[in-house]
Amino acid sequence: SVHTRDQVELPPPAIDNRLTVHPLWPEIDRISTEQIQAAFEGVGGEIGWQLFAEEGDMRMYRREMEVDGMVTDPLKAMHKVRGVTAREMCHYFFNPRYRYEWETTLETMTIVEEIASDSLVFHQTFKRIWPASQRDALFWSHVRQASENTYAVTNHSTTNADYPANNGACIRLFVTVCLACHTTYPAGETPTRDNITTSIAYCSTVNPGGWAPAGVLRAVYKREYPKFLKRFTSYVVEQCRDKPIAI
Ligand code: 18C
């Protein structure tokens, strides 16, 4: 069959060799492994996740946490989406070509380094929230197959001498994000858009990096995370509708 451009650029099923010889490889491998494992852990137990948003199959939990007086509440979201695969979800989350189409908090995005086909370093600036200073972030992003029918993207803050923190209008924030997806379909059947379901676990911890009023921050958080997950998942469903399935 003929491969479209999109199919060729889908997340590779194996780690790209160029990544394993890069200085960031040990960190990328360790943090991705930890994050993917944590993403698939439940929200029960002692840790005390509290539900703060619920809509259809989407559930969002947070833990109230402060570091040096700054709100750093970890977030964990679960969702189920029909008709798209884990690999497709991660393709649209990882690939910068689509980012402006679903990411509404973004002001600018720059690719700082192309480490490999599965790993990039980004600099992003975000929309300013009054009365706080504008924020930016510098992070690596890595997509991988985690197990059968399971793909994940991990984003984690890093440093780069060409992009120093806090030297201009922006305060540098720190982020650890993991989007982990697992696809299922009835045993013995061939996967099609009509019989696949993808379970999504999205985990995020953002340290604002400098003063931000706690009340404003928690209000933004409560509004923006559900908005992001609903918008992103319906964007992917829409993009995949008439394309051949990529499992
Ligand atoms: O994971 C997501 N996106 C990825 C690709 O962009 C990537 C991005 C991570 C950065 C997340 C931090 C975003 C901070 C945005 C601040 C400005 C928001 C302006 C909105 C107003 C229109 O992994 C999806 C990310 C979904 C982001 C939800 C918002 C999270 C808010 C967390 C608080 C941030 C502190 C900012 C300090 C200012 C506070 C007053």
Side-chain angles (χ1 to χ4, degrees):
S1 70
V2 181
H3 286 267
T4 67
R5 237 161 74 103
D6 259 7
Q7 280 175 309
V8 171
E9 292 177 10
L10 280 160
I15 305 280
D16 189 321
N17 289 328
R18 281 181 295 158
L19 171 59
T20 61
V21 295
H22 190 278
L24 276 172
W25 162 245
E27 177 184 300
I28 291 179
D29 189 40
R30 176 177 56 83
I31 292 178
S32 299
T33 304
E34 285 169 10
Q35 286 293 315
I36 294 166
Q37 192 184 332
F40 286 121
E41 279 165 14
V43 286
E46 312 94 82
I47 305 180
W49 289 101
Q50 38 173 293
L51 185 70
F52 75 92
E54 191 171 9
E55 209 180 307
D57 289 316
M58 185 181 84
R59 310 256 181 288
M60 289 202 166
Y61 305 83
R62 63 161 184 182
R63 281 186 286 137
E64 287 200 3
M65 194 181 273
E66 283 177 28
V67 175
D68 301 329
M70 283 182 292
V71 173
T72 57
D73 299 357
L75 166 118
K76 180 158 189 159
M78 313 287 213
H79 201 2
K80 273 193 169 60
V81 180
R82 272 159 275 275
V84 296
T85 68
R87 193 176 183 203
E88 289 165 337
M89 274 289 172
C90 289
H91 169 65
Y92 287 99
F93 190 73
F94 173 76
N95 197 313
R97 196 190 320 157
Y98 311 107
R99 192 149 309 156
Y100 283 108
E101 293 176 26
W102 59 264
E103 177 64 280
T104 59
T105 68
L106 214 53
E107 196 153 281
T108 65
M109 176 193 67
T110 308
I111 301 170
V112 169
E113 189 182 352
E114 288 192 57
I115 298 174
S117 61
D118 56 7
S119 310
L120 299 167
V121 177
F122 291 100
H123 178 257
Q124 292 188 174
T125 63
F126 303 97
K127 290 176 183 162
R128 181 172 174 244
I129 306 170
W130 186 90
S133 305
Q134 190 180 15
R135 261 46 180 190
D136 70 351
L138 184 77
F139 60 91
W140 53 255
S141 184
H142 169 60
V143 62
R144 65 165 56 170
Q145 179 165 34
S147 57
E148 211 187 344
N149 299 323
T150 307
Y151 279 82
V153 180
T154 306
N155 295 343
H156 182 74
S157 282
T158 187
T159 55
N160 182 302
D162 295 335
Y163 293 81
N166 309 324
N167 77 328
C170 283
I171 294 182
R172 179 69 44 89
L173 61 73
F174 302 94
V175 63
T176 304
V177 160
C178 183
L179 177 84
C181 304
H182 176 70
T183 302
T184 55
Y185 48 90
E189 289 187 19
T190 301
T192 70
R193 296 251 174 253
D194 298 322
N195 69 1
I196 56 170
T197 300
T198 293
S199 301
I200 298 171
Y202 173 83
C203 297
S204 167
T205 303
V206 178
N207 182 319
W211 180 83
V216 176
L217 209 146
R218 287 203 167 104
V220 171
Y221 194 103
K222 233 174 158 165
R223 186 188 66 217
E224 295 298 327
Y225 280 117
K227 187 172 149 195
F228 146 66
L229 199 58
K230 284 189 283 181
R231 186 180 163 95
F232 173 69
T233 52
S234 52
Y235 172 76
V236 177
V237 169
E238 192 52 45
Q239 291 298 308
C240 290
R241 203 180 294 282
D242 300 313
K243 295 199 174 78
I245 190 169
I247 197 89

